[in-house]
Amino acid sequence: MTTVSNEPTFRESVDLMVDRAICVMGLDEGTSSAIKACNSVLQVQFPVKIRGKIEVFTGWRATHSTHRLPSKGGIRFAPYASQDEVEALASLMTYKCAIVDVPFGGSKGALLIDPSQYERDEMEMITRRFAHELIRKGVLSPSTNVPAPDVGTGQREMAWIADTYKHLHPEDINYIACVTGKPLHHGGIHGRVEATGRGVQYAIREFFRHPEDVKSANMEGSLYGKTCVIQGLGNVGYHASKFLSEEDGVIITAVIERDGALINDEGINIEDLYHHIIEHGSITNFPGATLEENGAAVLEKECDILIPAALESQITLENADRIQAKLIIEAANGPITYGADEILNKKGIIIIPDAYANAGGVTVSYFEWIRNISHIRMGRMQKRHDETHGAHIAAMLEELTGTTVSDSLKKSVAHGADELDLVRSGLDDTMRTAYQQIRETLIENEKITDLRTASYVTSITKIARSYLDIGIY
Ligand code: GLU
């Protein structure tokens, strides 16, 4: 999954993209090597007794950077996980956090496992045992290294990890901040589940606020009515395609999944499809769309926007030349290999890169971590105060003008923001600001011709500054 013959590995691919940016920046070799190096990688192997038999599991936690603490990044459970992949993903976390001004270093973990082969209780035992290893070896705590969900993990696994940490460190008042992406009733935050998909939506919206950028992708007008092919209807793909189609009028003309692709040029109803998959475990027999068994070929379908939201190395030297999308937004980490990226750039296809595009997840993880260490739900102190203030303004307007403010207007003026409102507002602002910084970098430096290089230059400039300010010892 991570290596495609005749192409660099995933980690090498990320490094090559970073090198391209470093070259444009003219950054000195010492600082660039310090930024690129993966600080540490822990590999653990531990036994668990499953159905009377001992099985040995292998897992990793790579800490790419600690220039900010804690280091942050998900844990994935996958049968193809490898150290190379974990290191690549950890480095992406470093760049990602810097792009969206989330004050964390970069880290990533993985467990080599096929979760579909185990019962719920077995998964709990394995997850708790893995967490135990990471905690005991010093790579999991609220102040040093904070995991989150990734491919194959979700709220359930995060709750088990938090509980394991709590039992080992009951004296740590911030124990609940040792992991993010937790269920709401275990210290989670509203809007974390949808966050990465929501971030993808906010990123595309921001792109479409700049007519010159839209023009550079050979499109014009607004997002409304644009066609979109999405690969992967997991947490990220589902939310991104649902929000884009339901709220922005984007037409989802194809959905690519493991067992093929569904095509309907009139548009696929994402909510219906999502429920169909939950009910039947597959996309087959979904009414209202045609099944194409060769799912990968559908990446090449003509469309305005292509959203790879599955795994790495999906657009490679093999298929890059046949891609027809005008804009690609990388909702997954590393879906385009280095070689494919060069081909797509030459073809004039605009790519909104992963390190920015899918940063919504870690941004809301940051909000969750803040909520946890401050021990208070966001909006708890202000909501009613803001509502009273809003009601007074409406009353004052009525008194001054001698007219009545409509009930709906009164309601919206007197609405105090709750946690979800605040999380969405913070995420929207983060995605807008980061895109504006990236495009400024692109405009200011004539050597930069693509958004990926501009993103890395933006990010590395911030990281380098922090290295230089503090010094290296
Ligand atoms: N796994 C997600 C990512 O790749 C989220 C990481 C986090 O929230 O720490 O960005």
Side-chain angles (χ1 to χ4, degrees), residues 198-260:
R198 187 61 85 182
V200 170
Q201 177 196 31
Y202 290 160
I204 301 184
R205 279 186 180 174
E206 184 56 24
F207 178 86
F208 274 86
R209 281 192 195 101
H210 301 274
E212 318 87 88
D213 300 11
V214 177
K215 201 164 160 225
S216 73
N218 288 317
M219 289 185 282
E220 56 183 31
S222 72
L223 195 44
Y224 188 86
K226 295 287 181 286
T227 57
C228 171
V229 170
I230 180 133
Q231 182 193 37
L233 217 59
N235 178 42
V236 181
Y238 161 64
H239 284 105
S241 54
K242 174 183 163 68
F243 298 147
L244 285 166
S245 56
E246 291 178 3
E247 297 171 13
D248 297 314
V250 171
I251 304 164
I252 311 291
T253 54
V255 174
I256 307 168
E257 264 288 318
R258 256 169 297 228
D259 44 352

Side-chain angles (χ1 to χ4, degrees), residues 68-71 140-146 165 172 174 177-178 369:
R68 298 261 189 273
L69 282 176
S71 301
L140 201 165
S141 87
S143 53
T144 59
N145 198 314
V146 179
Y165 182 84
D172 186 344
N174 292 320
C178 74
W369 185 79

Side-chain angles (χ1 to χ4, degrees), residues 70-87:
S71 301
K72 192 80 186 78
I75 289 189
R76 69 173 49 176
F77 285 1
Y80 53 80
S82 71
Q83 184 171 329
D84 183 277
E85 181 195 55
V86 174
E87 285 187 29

Side-chain angles (χ1 to χ4, degrees), residues 61 71-76 89 92-93 96-97 102 104-105 107-108 146-151 153 179-181 192 196 236 331-333 354-355 358-366 368:
R61 186 75 182 165
S71 301
K72 192 80 186 78
I75 289 189
R76 69 173 49 176
L89 292 164
L92 274 175
M93 288 308 304
K96 196 184 297 191
C97 289
V102 163
F104 293 151
S107 186
K108 201 80 173 199
V146 179
D150 200 84
V151 174
T153 55
V179 65
T180 58
R192 175 60 185 87
T196 314
V236 181
N333 286 310
D354 47 7
N358 68 38
V362 75
T363 301
V364 178
S365 274
Y366 170 46
E368 179 175 332

